[in-house]
Every structure is written in C-alpha cells, then in structure tokens.
Amino acid sequence: QVQLQESGGGSVQAGGSLTLSCVASGRTYSSYCMAWFRQTPGARRDEVGHIYTSYGSATYSDSVKGRFTMSHDRAKSTLYLQMNDLKPEDTGIYYCAAAAQGSCDSPDYGYWGQGTQVTVSS
C-alpha cells in the first residue's frame, strides 16, 4: 500500500501564495502518475494537474494554468504544488492522488491522501 500525506494548506488573501506538499510512503513503485485534485462544498473533485514522476512534465487545468506549478522530488518522494496569485475560487480541499502505472494516460488513481484545506479570502 502507498500512503499519501498532504500538508501546507492554510488561509491567505487573494493574490497570495501557498505551497502544498504530498509525501508518499509505504510500498513504493519506480514511477507514478501523480495529481492534485480540488474539491469545493457541493461540487465534484476536479483535477488541478498531473505529472508523471519519471519525466516531470506537468499538465494543468485551464483554471490554474500560469499560476500553479507542480513538481516532484524523487529523492524525497514528495509532490509539490506551488500556487501563486491565488483567487477566492481556488478555495477548497486539495487532495493528492497517485496511480502506479506506466503513464498518465487514463490514470486510475488508486491512492489518495486525506486532503488539506486552502482558503482564499477576497
């Protein structure tokens, strides 16, 4: 089993920045497709972006493109989400997810963290 633990959430004003971290532990694989998801009250959990840990090229949703940056530190087994120019609509619970597969094509995210709250005030 892979355990994922997020941290770094908090409350900021619009225009501010936060960096989320997701540490993977337990059984490890050589590569994962890893992603950040965001869930707001009454809404579905939407993907913010994903990255394949072997080659580190990230893909982002249109709502965060140009403001958020994902990265992965293989040595620390940690996924990061640098969030800049935050907006009130970025408010939500952010979840880290992982799929132990050979690419990010049609990922089956079988591993999830518990989530970390991000609140952006106007």
Side-chain angles (χ1 to χ4, degrees), residues 13-81:
Q13 290 192 324
S17 298
L18 281 174
T19 299
L20 306 183
S21 300
C22 171
V23 179
S25 62
R27 179 179 180 181
T28 57
Y29 297 87
S30 59
S31 299
Y32 300 86
C33 179
M34 297 192 75
W36 287 99
F37 284 77
R38 176 171 66 203
Q39 186 164 26
T40 54
R44 66 181 185 183
R45 192 176 294 186
D46 290 326
E47 185 181 293
V48 171
H50 61 258
I51 187 170
Y52 190 63
T53 60
S54 284
Y55 45 77
S57 176
T59 301
Y60 304 94
S61 68
D62 288 342
S63 64
V64 306
K65 199 174 295 182
R67 300 187 298 121
F68 290 12
T69 303
M70 291 180 63
S71 61
H72 182 258
D73 186 326
R74 194 179 187 91
K76 296 182 178 179
S77 298
T78 301
L79 177 71
Y80 299 98
L81 182 67

Side-chain angles (χ1 to χ4, degrees), residues 58-113:
T59 301
Y60 304 94
S61 68
D62 288 342
S63 64
V64 306
K65 199 174 295 182
R67 300 187 298 121
F68 290 12
T69 303
M70 291 180 63
S71 61
H72 182 258
D73 186 326
R74 194 179 187 91
K76 296 182 178 179
S77 298
T78 301
L79 177 71
Y80 299 98
L81 182 67
Q82 173 67 45
M83 305 184 293
N84 297 326
D85 189 23
L86 282 160
K87 303 177 180 181
E89 52 264 41
D90 294 320
T91 294
I93 301 174
Y94 283 70
Y95 295 91
C96 172
Q101 58 187 64
S103 73
C104 280
D105 294 334
S106 301
D108 180 12
Y109 295 111
Y111 304 104
W112 292 85

